[in-house]
């Protein structure tokens, strides 16, 4: 009998490797668990219930898919940082933080930041879009600050935008 990995391991793989199939599957599983149907409409119902349980305003966002690859997803940097703060107060806080890589790990292997061991962040990218959101950790390894940097409609290639964003994150580490 095959058993699925624990949810915390699936979340870690999803975030560490930016596994879009896992992200879509998690959203569909949430929808099915909440409504017995895994359609996008039922998924949105389930996601909204979870977000509202965290105290997040769902009317401020638009989610079209689970992976973040749709250009019909709309989230602000402010909303994302509020979400990251809410996650720190959720029962899943430890597993969530452990699921997020530091620069140089997972899909962030190209991200070079002095002091990057004090950062946990998730990246997102597609043509003209490059985003980083996460936590800056204190000396004891606990989240001290949240951040979200979203670039959209960039005309420069990501290989030119990424180093600028990495320097900005190094600047944030100085505080």
């Amino acid at each position: 009998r095959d058993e699925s990995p624990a949810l915390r391991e699936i979340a870690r793989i999803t975030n560490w490797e930016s596994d879009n199939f896992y992200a879509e599957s998690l959203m569909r599983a949430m929808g099915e668990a909440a409504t017995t149907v895994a359609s996008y409409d039922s998924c949105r119902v389930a996601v909204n219930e979870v977000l509202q349980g965290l105290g997040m305003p769902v009317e401020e966002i638009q989610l079209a898919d689970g992976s973040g690859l749709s250009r019909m997803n709309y989230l602000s940097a402010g909303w994302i940082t509020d979400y990251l703060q809410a996650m720190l107060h959720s029962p899943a806080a430890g597993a969530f933080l452990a699921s997020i890589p530091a620069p140089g790990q997972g899909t962030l292997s190209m991200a070079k930041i002095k002091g990057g061991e004090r950062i946990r962040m998730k990246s997102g990218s597609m043509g003209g879009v490059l985003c980083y959101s996460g936590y800056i950790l204190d000396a004891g390894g606990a989240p001290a600050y949240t951040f979200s940097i979203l670039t959209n409609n960039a005309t420069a290639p990501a290989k030119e935008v990424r180093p600028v964003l990495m320097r900005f994150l190094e600047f944030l580490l100085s505080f």
Side-chain angles (χ1 to χ4, degrees):
R1 174 179 127 179
D2 292 336
E3 290 189 20
S4 173
L7 184 57
R8 72 177 49 230
E9 181 59 19
I10 292 170
R12 190 186 83 58
I13 292 168
T14 303
N15 287 335
W16 204 272
E17 301 301 329
S18 287
D19 190 306
N20 295 319
F21 177 75
Y22 271 31
E24 288 291 331
S25 297
L26 285 169
M27 185 175 179
R28 293 217 178 231
M30 286 176 65
E32 185 175 28
T35 67
T36 71
V37 178
S39 70
Y40 276 118
D41 286 340
S42 65
C43 295
R44 280 187 209 94
V45 167
V47 169
N48 285 349
E49 287 177 5
V50 170
L51 292 173
Q52 288 168 333
L54 289 170
M56 296 301 302
V58 297
E59 64 280 353
E60 294 179 11
I61 62 169
Q62 180 175 317
L63 297 177
D65 65 4
S67 65
L69 291 175
S70 171
R71 293 197 184 269
M72 299 305 295
N73 290 314
Y74 298 105
L75 299 104
S76 70
W79 191 94
I80 293 170
T81 56
D82 288 346
Y83 169 77
L84 291 170
Q85 282 293 312
M87 285 302 295
L88 292 177
H89 303 290
S90 79
F96 179 69
L97 187 60
S99 79
I100 304 171
Q105 301 173 326
T107 57
L108 301 173
S109 60
M110 75 312 242
K112 307 295 184 217
I113 299 176
K114 290 179 193 168
E117 66 277 356
R118 288 189 43 228
I119 297 177
R120 296 297 175 274
M121 66 183 184
K122 178 74 182 84
S123 64
S125 63
M126 64 176 84
V129 176
L130 185 58
C131 306
Y132 295 103
S133 299
Y135 302 101
I136 295 178
L137 309 178
D138 64 19
Y145 303 100
T146 58
F147 66 89
S148 187
I149 306 167
L150 312 178
T151 64
N152 196 9
N153 296 319
T155 56
K159 69 180 182 178
E160 293 176 16
V161 176
R162 185 175 295 110
V164 174
L165 298 182
M166 295 304 107
R167 285 194 302 275
F168 182 70
L169 286 170
E170 286 176 356
F171 174 74
L172 291 179
L173 280 169
S174 68
F175 291 99

